[in-house]
C-alpha cells in the first residue's frame, strides 16, 4: 500500500497530544544550512534546505539561496529552484556564485548572480561536473576539481559486469580564467597526484594549498589526505606538509607565512577537531591547545597572530579566538542552549552563524562587532512552530559505573510531565562513536525527540565515552573496547534516570543509526533484560563480517578497534563476542531493524544477519526487517524518511508504551494515523 492510500485512524489519546509536534510537522521543517558574510559586513548570504512533499515525490531536499541586508534587517530569496551548492562572494564583482546543473546543462557548472538583482548566468562549464571551486582574489581565476570519466569497456557483449573497486577515476584539480575575454581558455591541471579534496588560495594568490588522497576510496578520504603547496605559475608542488590522520580544513595566515589545519592529533585521532600550525614552506605541523577538553569545529585567521574558532564543549557551543601559539584564548560567545553549526566573519568583525536551540531548528544569527554585542536571530523559517507545544529539554550529568567519567546527555520530557511521574523513555544513541549531541534541536526523521514527547515519552540522548566535544582523552577512551564501557555508559544513564524517579524501569527503549544502530542491537541482545523495545537503523550485528563488507576497513582499525581480528584466535573470538548476533540467546526485546538497501558503510547484510539469527534462534521474539531501496547509510528522501518515522514510532507505541512484548507485530504496511497526516 502506498503512502497515498491512507486510511483514517483515530486513537483514544490522539486529542490529548494534538498540540505537540507530529510526523507531519517534521516533514515540512525548513532549515538554514550555511551562511557567508561579505567582506564589508553589509550582506549575509545563506542557504535554506526545503524538504520535498513526501506525499508527492520521494525526493531529497532542495536548497534555496537567500541574502540578508544587515543594515535594514531585510532578507530576500535570490534563488529558489533546484539544488545549488558552494555559495561564494565573487571578489570585486558585487555578486554571488554557486554550482548547479540546470535542465539544459550537460554538467554541474558555475553560475553568477548579481546582488543588485537579475538572473543567474552561467559563467563557466566544463566537460565534466565541477565538484568544488574557489576564487582567486582577482575575481577572474578559479581553482576547481572535477572527477575524470570512468574508462569504458571494449567488450563486444551487450552486458557489462560491475568489477568491484575497479575503474574508479581520480579527481584532479585545475586553474582557469572565467572572465568574458577568456571564454575559450583551456584549464591547466595542477600537478598533484591522486584525488583532490580541499583547495585554498594563498592571500597573495601565488600559491594554492590542496589536500589529496592517493585513491578516491572513502578510506583514503578519511585517513590518507596529504597537504601540498602548489605554485600558481608552474602548477607544480613547491612544498609538502607531513600531516597524518583526518583533516577537515586548511587556512592561510594573512601574511601567507603559515597554515592552520583543523585535523586530527595523530593517525589514531577519530576526529578532525584539533588545531595544528605549520610553515607554508612545508614540514611537520605542531598541535596547539592540546589539552583542550572540547572539539574545534571551524577555524579562520583574523590576523597574523589570531585565529577565530567555533568549538563544541560537551553539549554547548563556543565562538572564540586564540593565538597560533595556543596563548591568549578568549571566548566571544558561548551558549549552553544553542547548537552552532558554522560561522562566517567579515573584515569589520561582524559574525553570522547558523544555530538551532531546543525551541527551533537551524536559523541564521548575526552578531555585530564588539565582544559585548549579543547575537540576534534574524530568520524564522518555521513560524508555525510558535503554535506547537514542546516538551522541556534539559542537560543531565551522571557518573559511570567505573568512576572514570562524568557523562553529559540531554533529556526531553513529555508535554504533560509532572515531577514524580515514571515515564517510558526512548534512548537515542548517536553514531560514530565520534559524534555528540548538543543542547539544540534534537528532532528529525530518525530522532524521535519532540514527536515522542508529544506522545508521552521521555527521550534521552547520552554522550557516552568516545563522543566528541570532551577532548582527546575522552575521544580515545572507547578505542579497542567495542560495545564495552562505551555501551555500559548508556545503561548507566538509564539507571540514573530510573534512580532519579523519572524513567519507568520496565519501559526503556533504544534507537540509533550506524554505531547507534550497533548499540540498539546490543541493547536488544546483550542487555535485553533492560530494554522493552529497540529500533535499529543501518547498524552493526557482526563485527567480523562488518569489517569485510565496509568501505572503511582501515579507518575501523586505526581509530576504533586498534587491533586486527586475525592477530590471534582470541582476537577472532573477541570480535564475535562484541557482536549482537553472539548474544541472541539472551534476546527478549522486540526489535525493528531498518536499513538502506544501497548502504556501503554498513552493508545491508548486517541487518539481515541479526534478523535471521532472531527468526531462527528466538522465533517467539517480535522482529521485523525493512529495507529502503535507493537509500544508503541513512535516508535522504522525503517519502522514505516519513515511512521510517512512522514505523519507528509505531513500534515504540506497540511495545514500549504498553510494555507488552507479547503484542502482535504491527501490520507490515499499516496506514499512517490521521493525526499525523496532512
Amino acid at each position: 500500500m502506498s503512502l497515498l492510500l491512507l486510511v483514517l485512524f483515530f486513537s483514544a489519546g490522539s486529542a490529548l497530544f494534538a498540540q505537540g509536534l507530529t510526523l507531519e510537522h517534521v516533514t515540512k521543517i525548513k532549515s538554514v544550512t550555511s551562511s557567508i558574510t561579505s567582506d564589508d559586513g553589509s550582506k549575509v548570504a545563506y542557504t535554506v534546505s526545503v524538504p520535498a512533499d513526501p506525499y508527492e515525490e520521494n525526493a531529497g531536499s532542495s536548497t534555496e539561496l537567500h541574502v540578508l541586508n544587515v543594515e535594514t534587517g531585510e532578507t530576500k530569496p535570490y534563488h529558489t529552484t533546484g539544488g545549488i551548492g558552494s555559495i561564494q562572494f565573487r571578489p570585486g564583482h558585487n555578486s554571488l556564485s554557486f554550482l548547479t546543473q540546470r535542465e539544459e546543462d550537460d554538467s554541474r557548472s558555475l553560475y553568477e548572480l548579481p546582488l543588485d538583482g537579475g538572473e543567474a548566468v552561467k559563467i563557466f562549464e566544463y566537460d565534466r561536473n565541477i565538484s568544488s571551486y574557489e576564487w582567486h582574489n582577482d575575481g577572474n581565476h578559479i581553482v576547481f576539481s572535477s572527477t575524470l570519466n570512468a574508462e569504458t569497456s571494449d567488450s563486444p557483449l551487450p552486458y557489462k559486469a560491475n568489477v568491484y573497486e575497479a575503474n574508479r577515476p581520480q579527481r584532479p584539480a585545475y586553474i582557469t580564467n572565467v572572465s568574458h575575454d577568456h571564454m575559450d581558455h583551456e584549464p591547466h591541471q595542477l600537478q598533484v597526484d591522486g584525488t583532490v579534496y580541499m583547495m585554498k588560495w594563498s592571500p597573495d594568490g601565488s600559491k594554492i594549498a590542496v589536500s589529496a588522497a592517493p585513491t578516491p576510496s572513502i578510506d583514503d578520504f578519511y585517513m590518507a589526505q596529504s597537504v601540498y603547496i602548489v605554485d600558481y605559475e608552474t602548477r607544480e608542488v613547491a612544498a609538502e606538509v607531513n600531516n597524518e590522520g583526518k583533516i577537515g580544513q586548511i587556512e592561510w595566515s594573512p601574511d601567507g607565512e603559515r597554515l592552520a589545519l583543523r585535523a586530527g592529533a595523530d593517525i589514531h585521532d577519530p576526529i578532525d577537531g584539533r588545531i595544528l600550525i605549520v610553515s607554508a614552506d612545508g614540514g611537520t605541523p605542531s598541535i596547539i591547545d592540546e589539552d583542550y577538553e572540547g572539539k574545534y569545529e571551524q577555524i579562520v585567521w583574523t590576523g597574523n597572530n589570531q585565529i577565530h574558532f567555533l568549538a563544541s564543549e560537551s553539549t554547548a557551543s563556543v565562538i572564540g579566538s586564540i593565538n597560533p601559539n595556543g596563548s591568549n584564548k578568549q571566548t566571544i560567545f558561548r551558549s549552553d542552549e544553542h547548537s552552532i553549526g558554522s560561522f562566517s566573519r567579515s573584515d569589520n568583525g561582524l559574525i553570522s552563524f547558523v544555530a538551532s536551540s531546543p525551541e527551533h531548528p537551524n536559523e541564521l544569527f548575526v552578531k555585530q562587532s564588539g565582544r559585548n554585542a549579543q547575537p540576534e536571530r534574524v530568520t524564522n523559517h518555521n513560524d508555525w512552530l510558535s503554535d506547537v507545544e514542546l516538551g522541556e529539554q534539559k542537560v543531565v550529568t551522571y557518573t559511570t559505573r567505573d568512576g572514570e567519567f562524568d557523562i553529559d546527555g540531554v533529556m526531553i520530557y513529555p508535554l504533560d510531565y509532572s515531577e514524580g511521574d515514571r515515564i517510558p523513555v526512548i534512548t537515542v544513541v548517536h553514531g560514530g562513536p565520534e559524534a555528540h549531541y548538543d543542547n539544540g534541536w534534537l528532532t528529525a526523521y530518525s530522532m524521535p525527540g519532540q514527536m515522542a514527547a508529544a506522545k508521552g515519552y521521555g527521550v534521552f540522548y547520552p554522550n557516552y565515552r568516545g563522543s566528541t566535544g570532551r577532548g582527546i582523552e575522552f575521544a580515545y577512551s572507547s578505542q579497542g573496547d567495542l560495545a564495552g564501557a562505551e555501551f555500559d555508559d548508556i545503561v548507566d544513564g538509564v539507571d540514573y534516570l530510573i534512580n532519579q524517579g523519572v524513567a519507568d524501569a520496565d519501559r526503556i527503549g533504544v534507537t540509533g543509526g550506524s554505531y547507534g544502530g550497533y548499540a540498539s542491537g546490543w541493547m536488544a541482545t546483550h542487555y535485553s533484560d533492560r530494554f522493552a523495545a529497540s529500533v535499529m537503523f543501518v547498524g552493526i550485528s557482526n563485527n567480523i563480517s562488518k569489517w569485510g563488507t565496509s568501505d572503511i576497513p582501515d579507518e575501523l582499525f586505526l581509530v576504533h578497534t586498534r587491533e586486527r581480528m586475525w592477530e590471534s584466535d582470541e582476537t577472532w573470538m573477541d570480535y564475535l563476542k562484541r557482536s549482537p548476533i553472539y548474544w541472541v540467546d539472551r534476546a527478549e526485546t522486540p526489535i525493528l531493524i531498518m536499513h538502506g538497501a544501497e548502504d556501503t558503510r554498513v552493508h545491508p547484510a548486517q541487518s539481515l544477519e541479526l534478523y535471521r539469527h532472531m527468526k531462527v534462534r528466538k522465533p517467539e521474539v517480535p522482529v521485523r526487517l525493512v529495507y529502503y531501496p535507493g537509500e544508503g547509510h541513512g535516508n535522504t528522501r522525503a517519502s522514505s524518511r516519513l515511512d521510517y518515522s512512522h514505523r519507528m514510532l509505531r513500534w515504540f507505541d506497540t511495545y514500549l508504551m504498553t510494555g507488552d512484548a507479547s503484542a502482535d507485530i504491527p501490520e507490515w504496511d499499516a496506514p499512517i494515523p490521521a493525526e499525523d497526516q496532512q
Side-chain angles (χ1 to χ4, degrees), residues 451-585:
M451 293 187 291
K455 297 168 77 67
Y457 297 97
V459 189
F460 173 50
Y461 300 81
N463 288 328
Y464 53 98
R465 75 185 70 188
S467 299
T468 56
R470 294 282 300 275
I472 292 177
E473 179 187 357
F474 194 82
Y476 281 51
S477 63
S478 66
Q479 292 183 357
D481 187 25
L482 306 183
E486 58 184 5
F487 288 173
D488 292 343
D489 291 351
I490 298 168
V491 178
D492 291 346
V494 169
D495 285 339
Y496 169 82
L497 295 174
I498 293 170
N499 294 335
Q500 291 294 307
V502 174
D504 181 344
D506 295 325
R507 293 189 295 166
I508 304 296
V510 63
T511 189
S514 193
Y515 212 81
Y518 177 26
S520 300
W522 188 256
M523 302 308 171
T525 53
H526 183 273
Y527 269 119
S528 184
D529 61 323
R530 302 300 310 279
F531 290 85
S534 174
V535 176
M536 173 181 172
F537 188 37
V538 294
I540 303 160
S541 69
N542 181 345
N543 279 302
I544 295 175
S545 58
K546 163 42 162 75
W547 184 88
T549 56
S550 177
D551 58 4
I552 51 168
D554 281 339
E555 199 259 3
L556 289 171
F557 162 65
L558 289 168
V559 306
H560 294 291
T561 64
R562 301 291 295 272
E563 62 179 354
R564 301 291 193 183
M565 69 180 78
W566 52 82
E567 291 178 356
S568 68
D569 290 344
E570 290 77 14
T571 310
W572 281 103
M573 184 53 67
D574 185 59
Y575 265 67
L576 184 60
K577 286 184 176 180
R578 295 176 185 273
S579 305
I581 60 166
Y582 184 84
W583 302 98
V584 164
D585 286 345

Side-chain angles (χ1 to χ4, degrees), residues 136-138 140-143 174-177 185 188-190 201-202 204-209 229-238:
H136 187 281
N137 58 21
D138 65 9
N140 292 322
H141 290 81
I142 61 169
V143 58
Y174 306 83
I175 298 172
T176 194
N177 190 323
H185 182 75
H188 301 292
Q189 183 174 338
L190 303 188
W201 290 98
S202 62
D204 66 1
S206 66
K207 302 181 183 69
I208 308 168
I229 310 302
V230 180
D231 183 84
Y232 168 41
E233 295 292 341
T234 68
R235 299 177 296 282
E236 299 282 350
V237 173

Side-chain angles (χ1 to χ4, degrees), residues 36-40 43 45 65 86-98 110-115 120-124 133-142 176-183:
I36 54 170
T37 306
S38 63
D39 289 344
D40 63 4
K43 300 284 194 302
L65 171 61
S86 194
I87 313 297
Q88 298 180 31
F89 285 100
R90 184 177 182 180
H93 281 69
N94 194 38
S95 63
L96 288 162
S97 60
F98 56 85
L110 182 63
Y111 279 77
E112 182 178 24
L113 185 62
L115 282 171
V121 176
K122 181 164 58 178
I123 58 173
F124 177 65
Y133 74 99
E134 179 163 298
W135 286 106
H136 187 281
N137 58 21
D138 65 9
N140 292 322
H141 290 81
I142 61 169
T176 194
N177 190 323
V178 301
S179 59
H180 287 296
D181 53 352
H182 288 79
M183 295 295 287

Side-chain angles (χ1 to χ4, degrees), residues 312-328:
S312 296
E313 294 181 359
S314 188
T315 60
S317 292
V318 178
I319 294 175
S321 63
I322 190 171
N323 290 356
N325 63 3
S327 66
N328 196 30

